């Protein structure tokens, strides 16, 4: 059955993924590093036809984000813990 409790795994005949990520880091204090990054992905099925479910060719990968962003701080005091 096709409901939210059922998973189906299928193999696409061909697909392509392009992407990249840009990251910047700063050291505002000797014990602190800060970073921010931005990623972009273009993931699509090129040839993906299932006789029961249909033609998925040209569609994006499910659950593959187009954009990602992250930021954080890394604190490393002289005690050795972080």
């Amino acid at each position: 059955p096709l409901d939210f409790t059922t998973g189906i795994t299928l193999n696409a005949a061909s697909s392509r993924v392009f992407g990249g990520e840009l990251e910047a880091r700063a050291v505002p204090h000797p014990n602190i590093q800060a970073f921010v990054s931005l990623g972009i992905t273009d993931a699509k099925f090129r040839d993906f036809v299932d006789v029961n479910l249909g033609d998925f060719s040209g569609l994006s990968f499910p659950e593959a984000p187009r954009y990602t962003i992250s930021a954080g701080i890394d604190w490393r005091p002289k005690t050795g813990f972080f």
Side-chain angles (χ1 to χ4, degrees), residues 30-67:
N31 297 343
I32 298 175
Q33 282 190 10
F35 70 90
V36 64
S37 67
L38 172 66
I40 185 170
T41 306
D42 185 22
K44 292 195 186 308
F45 296 114
R46 296 176 94 177
D47 181 17
F48 188 7
V49 179
D50 182 80
V51 294
N52 296 316
L53 299 175
D55 187 358
F56 299 98
S57 302
L59 297 178
S60 297
F61 290 8
E63 299 183 31
R66 176 86 171 134
Y67 301 101

Side-chain angles (χ1 to χ4, degrees), residues 31 74-77 79-82:
N31 297 343
D74 186 19
W75 175 55
R76 295 181 181 257
T79 60
F81 294 99
F82 60 94

